[in-house]
Amino acid sequence: MIYKHQHLWPGVPLALGSAVLFGASAPLSKLLLGSIDPWLLAGVLYLGAGIGLAAVSWGRRLIELPNVEAPLQKGDIPWLVLVVLFGGVLGPLLLMLGLSRTSASSGSLLLNLEGLATMGIAWLVFRENVDRRLLLGAMAILAGAAVLSWNGETLHLDIGGLLIATACLSWGIDNNLTRKLSSSDPVQIAMIKGLVAGTTNLVLAIMFGASLPNATLVCAGSLVGFLGVGVSLVMFMLGLRHLGAARTGAYFSLAPFIGAILAVLIFGEAVTLQLVAAGILMGIGLWLHLAERHDHEHLHEALEHDHSHVHDAHHQHVHDGPFTEPHSHWHRHEPLSHRHAHYPDLHHRHPHE
């Protein structure tokens, strides 16, 4: 059986949209770091994301908009705890500390390492399929990061760069763990992550001597957090559902370019040859990722799970009575063999030779 559809939709636009929002948050956070303690700002960003998404969830119920997403289950809680720890507490704290010690444009481009960390963990630990084009793209991005770290004689990362690289590793772990939750309601997950991680960082920052800034700065940080963390995370999780961790991380590599461009515009930082060369290499890597196409005959084993879906080629079950699409419920997939372009999404996590 041959199944034809647009394999780039909707996963790629979701991942790229997530990257644009997150990329913009780095230089905007750098702008706020002049007036807000780094640890405190990490808390404000995530708490703003959590409160904003809670308002979205409340508004959705208020106007009686049906929720088509599957809720979290008890078995998801251990994964959620690890996601909050690595992605909500450690990642943003390390990023804020790193941004306070390096330039905004360099810091933004170094965020490309998150995509590499995500891809490497997905490939080596979770055995997700990664083809030659994806690897070449990753090498180009890594070369760009190396150019950015060249000080004229040796590769050198200052303490700020090392902190940002560690933040990227933390988020790479977070992204792969989040894939375990990608069939559940992304707004609910991102809201919990934002509220718990934001409150944790905020309380710890105040305990260690940070003082709250004025209300205007708190509101500005919260808005940046809602869009650059909250909405971005929801889009990223939806991307994970359609693309898998390695490819969502690859597309997410657009984020640093957005951040670097805004950093040059906002802070008037010099557009150096080193910055341009790093951008070109990373751009080549992103293009290689975007141009990838994975298409072969594959077998779907029997599978039972719960997630939002429509009745496409992979969902041919019957319902008792009328229904609307999309909808979520526990359903069974019968074995199916066919061929079409696909990514390692919820239904295509089969092994490869």
Side-chain angles (χ1 to χ4, degrees):
M1 175 180 179
I2 298 178
Y3 172 50
K4 294 182 179 180
H5 75 303
Q6 175 47 264
H7 75 292
L8 296 177
W9 180 266
V12 172
L14 285 166
L16 293 178
S18 172
V20 169
L21 289 174
F22 182 74
S25 72
L28 293 175
S29 297
K30 175 73 173 179
L31 195 62
L32 293 169
L33 279 170
S35 305
I36 305 179
D37 175 83
W39 200 343
L40 189 70
L41 181 56
V44 169
L45 290 171
Y46 271 74
L47 198 55
I51 293 173
L53 292 174
V56 170
S57 183
W58 177 79
R60 188 167 60 185
R61 290 195 299 270
L62 184 66
I63 62 176
E64 299 182 351
L65 186 68
N67 186 4
V68 299
E69 296 290 345
L72 283 166
Q73 305 295 326
K74 287 184 179 180
D76 296 327
I77 293 177
W79 298 114
L80 183 60
V81 170
L82 291 173
V83 162
V84 170
L85 175 62
F86 283 100
V89 177
L90 295 177
L93 172 59
L94 291 166
L95 175 62
M96 293 304 107
L97 292 173
L99 284 175
S100 67
R101 290 166 170 81
T102 193
S103 70
S105 56
S106 294
S108 294
L109 281 178
L110 282 171
L111 287 175
N112 262 307
L113 297 176
E114 179 184 345
L116 294 183
T118 300
M119 188 189 310
I121 295 169
W123 181 31
L124 298 174
V125 178
F126 293 98
R127 313 307 299 172
E128 212 173 271
N129 177 59
V130 174
D131 61 19
R132 184 179 302 175
R133 182 181 290 271
L134 211 61
L135 284 175
L136 287 174
M139 290 174 63
I141 292 171
L142 184 59
V147 168
L148 200 63
S149 306
W150 180 258
N151 67 0
E153 296 179 359
T154 59
L155 291 179
H156 172 73
L157 277 180
D158 57 19
I159 185 63
L162 287 172
L163 286 167
I164 292 173
T166 308
C168 291
L169 175 60
S170 182
W171 273 320
I173 296 171
D174 165 41
N175 293 337
N176 278 277
L177 295 177
T178 300
R179 192 188 77 157
K180 299 286 187 179
L181 306 172
S182 62
S183 62
S184 300
D185 186 350
V187 173
Q188 182 186 23
I189 295 169
M191 178 186 70
I192 294 172
K193 183 176 181 180
L195 291 173
V196 175
T199 301
T200 300
N201 276 329
L202 196 67
V203 170
L204 289 175
I206 293 174
M207 286 176 59
F208 281 89
S211 57
L212 284 172
N214 61 57
T216 301
L217 289 172
V218 171
C219 289
S222 298
L223 180 60
V224 171
F226 171 62
L227 295 173
V229 176
V231 177
S232 175
L233 179 56
V234 170
M235 296 178 75
F236 187 88
M237 288 190 62
L238 290 171
L240 283 174
R241 181 181 298 177
H242 294 284
L243 303 174
R247 284 156 182 82
T248 305
Y251 290 119
F252 196 73
S253 297
L254 176 67
F257 297 106
I258 301 299
I261 291 170
L262 285 178
V264 170
L265 295 175
I266 293 173
F267 297 101
E269 294 181 0
V271 182
T272 63
L273 180 61
Q274 188 178 24
L275 193 65
V276 172
I280 290 173
L281 284 168
M282 291 175 174
I284 291 171
L286 179 62
W287 175 80
L288 285 168
H289 293 157
L290 287 169
E292 182 210 12
R293 186 177 177 86
H294 185 70
D295 185 341
H296 63 91
E297 185 80 19
H298 55 277
L299 173 66
H300 294 269
E301 303 287 351
L303 172 67
E304 293 187 22
H305 60 179
D306 183 1
H307 67 96
S308 177
H309 62 277
V310 297
H311 284 198
D312 56 16
H314 299 96
H315 298 87
Q316 293 297 311
H317 49 264
V318 297
H319 287 258
D320 294 327
F323 61 91
T324 59
E325 293 185 334
H327 55 251
S328 64
H329 60 88
W330 194 262
H331 57 276
R332 174 180 172 81
H333 295 267
E334 298 299 335
L336 170 68
S337 178
H338 62 177
R339 175 173 185 165
H340 62 93
H342 62 277
Y343 292 111
D345 58 20
L346 286 175
H347 305 100
H348 296 91
R349 292 177 181 168
H350 47 261
H352 292 78
E353 295 295 336

